[in-house]
């Protein structure tokens, strides 16, 4: 079998570094061909020296010479800037894109990879939240598989293997509930950045950690699931499962449910997407039934964690509303991480932006770009910067 050359977009992040661990453990199967980072030049250089890719891209142009200089004794090509980040995806030197950029910034590179006909291992859920209809249409037209990396969607994808002719009645996304499970609004008003970044089961990038604490992450995942699995909103349920052992479930027409289980470790869904349809042996720790374990399930508290309700509204209404929700949320989380707004204000900002920006039922790609820009501007104007 020939080596699959992977383009890792967002190689310095939580997903990117774990994807490189998978490559390192399976050198006979994978190589890293493109590595990209926004700011972390030191880590990008270290990765380039270790994995010897065809090219690297550093988003921050001020760091170009530093990276170029550090790699001058190698054959690694170095580029920088926002345009170079998406143009790199159009260079035909790789076999699969691992979309590990966080946020809206991942959309353009992913669209370029689809245009080039490259399979996508998709971690960057915001791409589907913003423009899922267009992304999936383009992927279908180019016969490009979109393989989920998000653990819940990987779970559903794994449950669907061998079920192509069977209808899905519904899917149930599991949610850990985040660090503030069981808390009420009077507690949430006072929570600080450091507290919100402490996820009980997963170690992840800052943005998704905050989204997990507000439950926005689960809302984004409902929208992601709609596009990945072609579901109606009413077919997508959420249940809180604090142990994160069941990663999600599919219920079929006969009422039978399939679940995918295991210890929480993102390397598993990453390697499943990269090696699909094969499973790769590994020595990751295994879940142990010998210990006295309990798995719990409860309904999400939509009154306290209103972000999830807002995301459900966006899911139900569709059009550019998920794009508006996402843009406002990115601005709000950014501001919260810089201690500019409080935890509860995140929801307020998202809601006000959703009420303000013009609704478009069937947006073009350009209208999605414009909606994102307008929503960001409006959300930012609500914060006293
Ligand atoms: P992270 O913050 O750890 O890493 C983000 C990566 O994207 C970094 O390499 C960074 O350099 C790059 N980046 C950031 N802003 C950029 C910009 N404007 N332009 C170009 N590159 C930029 O994030 P993460 O936790 O690895 O998450 C990445 C994506 O995967 C997110 O969409 C997240 O929702 C999704 N995801 C992550 C996890 C997880 O366990 N971390 C699980 C499921 C899904
Ligand atoms: Mg997830």
């Amino acid at each position: 079998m020939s080596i699959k050359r992977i383009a890792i977009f967002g190689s310095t992040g939580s997903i990117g570094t774990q994807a490189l661990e998978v490559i390192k453990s399976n050198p006979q199967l994978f190589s890293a061909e493109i590595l990209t980072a926004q700011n972390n030049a030191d880590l990008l250089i270290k990765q380039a020296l270790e994995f010897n890719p065809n090219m690297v891209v550093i988003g921050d142009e001020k760091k170009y010479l530093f990276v170029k200089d550090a790699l001058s004794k190698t054959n690694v090509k170095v580029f920088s800037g926002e345009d170079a980040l998406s143009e790199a995806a159009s260079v035909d030197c790789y076999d699969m894109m691992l979309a590990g950029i966080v946020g809206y910034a991942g959309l353009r590179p992913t669209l370029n990879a689809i245009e080039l006909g490259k399979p996508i291992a998709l971690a960057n859920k915001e791409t589907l939240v913003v423009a899922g209809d267009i992304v999936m249409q383009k992927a279908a037209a180019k016969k490009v598989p979109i393989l989920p990396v998000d653990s819940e969607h990987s779970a559903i994808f794994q449950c669907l293997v061998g079920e192509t002719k069977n209808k899905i009645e519904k899917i149930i996304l599991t949610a850990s509930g985040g660090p503030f499970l069981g808390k009420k609004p009077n507690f949430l008003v006072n929570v600080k950045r450091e507290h919100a970044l402490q996820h009980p089961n997963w170690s992840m990038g800052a943005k998704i950690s905050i989204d997990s604490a507000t439950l926005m992450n689960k809302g984004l995942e409902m929208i992601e699931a709609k596009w990945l699995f072609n579901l109606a909103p009413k077919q997508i349920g959420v249940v809180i499962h604090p142990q994160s052992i069941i990663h999600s479930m599919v219920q079929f027409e006969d009422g039978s449910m399939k679940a995918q289980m295991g210890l929480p470790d993102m390397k598993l869904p990453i390697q499943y997407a990269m090696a699909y349809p094969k499973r790769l042996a590994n020595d990751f720790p295994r879940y142990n039934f010998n210990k006295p374990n309990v798995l719990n399930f409860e309904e999400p508290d939509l009154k306290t964690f209103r972000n999830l309700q807002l995301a459900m509204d966006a899911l139900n209404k569709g059009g550019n509303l998920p794009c508006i929700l996402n843009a406002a949320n990115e601005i709000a989380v950014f501001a919260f991480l810089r201690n500019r707004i409080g935890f509860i204000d995140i929801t307020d900002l998202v809601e006000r932006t959703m009420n303000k920006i013009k609704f478009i039922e069937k947006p073009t790609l350009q209208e999605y770009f414009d909606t994102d820009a307008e929503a960001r501007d409006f959300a930012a104007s609500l914060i006293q910067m």
Side-chain angles (χ1 to χ4, degrees):
M1 202 173 111
S2 64
I3 287 190
K4 199 182 269 182
R5 300 163 302 169
I6 314 285
I8 305 191
F9 279 69
S11 66
T12 54
S14 162
I15 291 290
T17 50
Q18 294 182 83
L20 283 170
E21 283 178 45
V22 170
I23 292 178
K24 195 174 172 173
S25 305
N26 299 278
Q28 74 293 359
L29 297 179
F30 308 116
S31 69
E33 211 59 24
I34 301 179
L35 300 176
T36 85
Q38 182 60 16
N39 291 307
N40 194 343
D42 291 330
L43 183 54
L44 183 66
I45 291 164
K46 189 166 166 273
Q47 293 176 337
L49 292 172
E50 181 175 355
F51 289 91
N52 191 30
N54 184 325
M55 70 171 89
V56 299
V57 187
I58 179 84
D60 183 352
E61 294 183 22
K62 292 194 288 298
K63 298 192 170 147
Y64 171 72
L65 285 178
F66 177 65
V67 178
K68 177 91 186 144
D69 201 42
L71 299 178
S72 61
K73 292 201 176 66
T74 70
N75 293 325
V76 181
K77 300 182 199 87
V78 181
F79 300 94
S80 85
E82 198 184 327
D83 289 345
L85 266 175
S86 46
E87 282 160 17
S90 300
V91 181
D92 198 354
C93 67
Y94 64 99
D95 303 308
M96 170 182 264
M97 170 187 270
L98 189 286
I101 288 179
V102 60
Y104 174 83
L107 174 61
R108 284 177 208 249
T110 304
L111 284 172
N112 284 350
I114 293 171
E115 194 59 42
L116 196 61
K118 302 300 180 188
I120 312 288
L122 187 79
N124 176 237
K125 64 193 80 182
E126 293 91 345
T127 284
L128 289 182
V129 173
V130 170
D133 53 346
I134 290 181
V135 172
M136 294 311 286
Q137 274 160 23
K138 285 193 189 288
K142 289 276 178 185
K143 298 195 167 51
V144 167
I146 308 282
L147 302 151
V149 168
D150 211 348
S151 56
E152 296 76 3
H153 306 74
S154 176
I156 291 161
F157 187 67
Q158 293 181 54
C159 291
L160 291 175
V161 170
E163 303 279 2
T164 41
K165 296 219 171 76
N166 294 322
K167 268 205 198 137
I168 300 172
E169 191 165 85
K170 65 185 284 197
I171 62 164
I172 298 122
L173 298 172
T174 51
S176 70
F180 306 133
L181 177 61
K183 302 294 187 207
K184 293 292 166 199
N186 60 357
F187 176 90
L188 296 181
V189 276
N190 295 315
V191 309
K192 294 281 173 269
R193 171 186 195 279
E194 284 60 40
H195 198 183
L197 282 172
Q198 300 302 318
H199 195 278
N201 305 338
W202 304 92
S203 158
M204 310 178 286
K207 197 254 176 185
I208 184 175
S209 296
I210 302 303
D211 284 345
S212 299
T214 64
L215 291 201
M216 178 60 93
N217 184 51
K218 211 48 54 182
L220 300 178
E221 289 183 351
M222 293 176 84
I223 301 169
E224 179 186 15
K226 166 181 164 166
W227 296 119
L228 276 174
F229 306 113
N230 193 20
L231 300 169
K234 64 172 184 338
Q235 290 175 289
I236 307 169
V238 170
V239 67
I240 302 286
H241 165 46
Q243 296 82 8
S244 299
I245 297 299
I246 294 184
H247 298 306
S248 279
M249 296 169 259
V250 179
Q251 182 174 313
F252 294 94
E253 279 188 307
D254 58 355
S256 180
M257 292 167 99
K258 280 167 98 174
Q260 188 262 339
M261 302 170 66
L263 287 175
D265 181 345
M266 283 309 295
K267 288 203 294 300
L268 186 57
I270 290 171
Q271 74 165 43
Y272 189 78
M274 277 167 49
Y276 177 80
K278 269 193 132 164
R279 291 187 182 275
L280 303 181
N282 60 45
D283 56 6
F284 306 162
R286 266 54 171 163
Y287 183 67
N288 184 353
F289 280 100
N290 298 337
K291 286 191 239 152
N293 294 333
V294 178
L295 300 183
N296 301 95
F297 305 92
E298 60 186 85
E299 294 238 303
D301 176 355
L302 295 175
K303 291 211 167 63
T304 302
F305 297 93
R306 287 181 51 239
N307 272 3
L308 180 55
Q309 182 61 58
L310 291 176
M312 287 175 174
D313 296 345
L315 168 76
N316 286 323
K317 195 157 178 207
N320 64 343
L321 202 53
C323 174
I324 299 169
L325 168 102
N326 178 71
N329 182 58
E330 286 192 27
I331 294 292
V333 171
F334 181 88
F336 174 75
L337 284 169
R338 275 152 197 77
N339 300 314
R340 303 304 301 254
I341 62 172
F343 190 78
I344 299 273
D345 301 331
I346 298 175
T347 309
D348 194 46
L349 211 81
V350 172
E351 187 170 38
R352 286 171 70 184
T353 310
M354 286 170 77
N355 290 335
K356 173 75 180 181
I357 305 299
K358 190 171 148 251
F359 179 71
I360 306 173
E361 187 152 4
K362 193 92 190 74
T364 61
L365 187 56
Q366 187 57 48
E367 283 171 326
Y368 279 126
F369 294 158
D370 295 344
T371 295
D372 175 78
E374 280 170 43
R376 268 166 209 274
D377 284 350
F378 180 74
S381 76
L382 296 175
I383 304 163
Q384 313 302 326
M385 290 290 210

